[in-house]
């Protein structure tokens, strides 16, 4: 019996969601194991479809067992690779956010809600990338006249307590950093309840009721990941494949939420949006 070959695609970290890809040789089955923080919702399905589409041209496989990660904010700080240009070892992949996003989120939130003067960054204290987001947000805050603080949370109870307490601060707003702990609907519901303008890292946050979202096009990144899987199956070594940074971002605005908060969407911001939810 021949040993099965595997390529693991790591997205965030959490439950495993298997995705089989059949090679052209009829006597063998290649399996790709996809690990992602979400598994059974529309977002996960869309990413899997994009990956399947990209894998249709694959013909050859190797005996190696490399790892291609997706949506990792700080692969160097997290210990996945030696450097972005020269990953080393058997791991390479695609990052989702650069540290500068902290400043861009703050600028976009201020443009969306000009009255905001105090902004809390909802983050996970043990996530290395979040320190970078906070640092660049603080750097951008000086010119914008905003005071930036951090809300470190580990679970739903801490999220509710932290946001409820922060809501007592006048003219407040939120930046929600990307993490499985903060990506649920609870943050959106709390922001709405306390009438806090908030910006989120993924488009689906705005589609679920968040005010505004600015981040990578996740489906596009999963489609790009298929090219690395293809190259590895053709013999390329992960150590020789530089870690790729995002190339496509999307801005999504929820007009219904803006109206509920008494906000008028600036025409220039609306014109830049990839999607405006009525």
């Amino acid at each position: 019996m021949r040993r099965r070959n595997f390529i693991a695609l790591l997205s965030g970290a959490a439950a495993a969601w298997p995705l089989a890809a059949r090679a052209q040789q009829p006597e063998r089955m290649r399996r790709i194991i996809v690990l992602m923080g979400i598994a059974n919702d529309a977002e996960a399905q869309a990413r899997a479809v994009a990956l399947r589409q990209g894998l249709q041209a694959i013909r050859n496989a190797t005996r190696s067992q490399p790892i291609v990660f997706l949506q990792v904010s700080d692969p160097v700080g997290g210990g996945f690779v030696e450097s972005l240009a020269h990953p080393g070892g058997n791991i390479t992949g695609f990052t989702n956010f650069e540290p500068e996003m902290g400043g861009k989120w703050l600028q976009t939130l201020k443009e969306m809600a000009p009255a905001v003067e105090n902004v809390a960054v909802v983050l996970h204290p043990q996530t290395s990338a979040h320190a970078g987001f906070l640092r660049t947000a603080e750097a951008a805050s000086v010119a914008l006249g905003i005071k930036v603080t951090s809300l470190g949370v580990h679970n739903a109870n801490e999220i509710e307590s932290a946001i409820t307490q922060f809501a007592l601060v006048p003219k407040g707003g939120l930046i929600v950093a990307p993490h499985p702990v903060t990506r649920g609907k609870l943050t959106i519901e709390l922001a709405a309840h306390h009438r806090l303008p908030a910006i989120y890292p993924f488009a689906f946050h705005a589609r679920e009721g968040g005010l505004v979202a600015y981040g990578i096009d996740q489906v596009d990144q999963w489609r790009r990941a298929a090219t690395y899987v293809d190259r590895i199956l053709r013999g390329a070594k992960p150590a020789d494949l530089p870690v790729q940074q995002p190339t496509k971002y999307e801005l999504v605005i929820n007009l219904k939420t803006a109206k509920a908060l008494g906000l008028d969407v600036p025409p220039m911001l609306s014109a830049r949006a990839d999607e405006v939810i009525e």
Side-chain angles (χ1 to χ4, degrees):
M1 181 176 181
R2 297 183 178 180
R3 178 175 61 85
R4 291 177 177 173
N5 293 339
F6 291 89
I7 292 179
L9 282 91
L10 306 182
S11 172
W17 196 76
L19 171 67
R22 184 178 299 275
Q24 295 300 308
Q25 299 91 333
E27 75 278 6
R28 303 177 88 181
M29 171 73 78
R30 303 291 191 267
R31 292 189 181 276
I32 297 170
I33 305 301
V34 180
L35 304 180
M36 67 175 79
I38 52 177
N40 297 314
D41 64 3
E43 290 292 325
Q45 296 292 336
R47 297 174 203 172
V49 168
L51 182 62
R52 285 195 183 96
Q53 291 173 345
L55 287 172
Q56 289 177 354
I58 292 178
R59 294 293 185 270
N60 301 317
T62 69
R63 295 181 179 180
S64 61
Q65 298 183 30
I67 294 175
V68 177
F69 62 76
L70 297 96
Q71 298 178 214
V72 175
S73 298
D74 185 11
V76 177
F80 294 115
V81 298
E82 296 176 4
S83 71
L84 299 183
H86 304 285
N90 68 325
I91 302 177
T92 187
F94 297 77
T95 65
N96 59 356
F97 293 105
E98 298 175 340
E100 290 74 15
M101 287 300 297
K104 294 178 181 178
W105 284 324
L106 187 67
Q107 292 168 358
T108 304
L109 181 62
K110 180 66 173 180
E111 190 174 356
M112 187 75 183
V116 166
E117 295 181 358
N118 296 283
V119 172
V121 182
V122 184
L123 52 80
H124 188 266
Q126 279 70 54
T127 300
S128 60
H130 287 191
F133 299 148
L134 180 61
R135 183 178 65 254
T136 59
E138 290 173 336
S141 69
V142 178
L144 296 173
I146 295 175
K147 180 181 178 181
V148 172
T149 59
S150 65
L151 298 182
V153 297
H154 298 85
N155 52 53
N157 289 336
E158 291 185 7
I159 290 175
E160 184 168 5
S161 175
I163 292 180
T164 299
Q165 184 172 357
F166 175 76
L168 299 175
V169 178
K171 299 182 179 180
L174 300 175
I175 293 174
V176 181
H179 192 276
V181 169
T182 62
R183 71 171 20 154
K185 292 185 177 180
L186 176 60
T187 309
I188 296 173
E189 293 172 352
L190 287 169
H193 177 73
H194 294 291
R195 298 185 59 78
L196 292 170
I199 186 166
Y200 302 85
F202 299 116
F204 70 84
H205 287 120
R207 295 174 187 137
E208 292 179 350
L211 174 62
V212 59
Y214 180 54
I216 64 168
D217 183 328
Q218 298 184 88
V219 171
D220 176 71
Q221 189 173 79
W222 280 75
R223 187 175 291 110
R224 291 175 63 206
T227 64
Y228 264 22
V229 173
D230 186 13
R231 292 176 65 179
I232 289 171
L233 290 180
R234 293 176 184 275
K237 296 180 180 179
D240 298 329
L241 299 176
V243 174
Q244 298 290 319
Q245 295 182 317
T247 59
K248 187 176 181 181
Y249 290 84
E250 53 187 352
L251 174 66
V252 182
I253 299 172
N254 191 311
L255 291 182
K256 181 178 180 180
T257 302
K259 183 177 180 180
L261 292 173
L263 298 174
D264 294 322
V265 181
M268 292 185 63
L269 186 63
S270 180
R272 298 202 312 266
D274 297 277
E275 181 181 351
V276 176
I277 301 171
E278 300 289 344

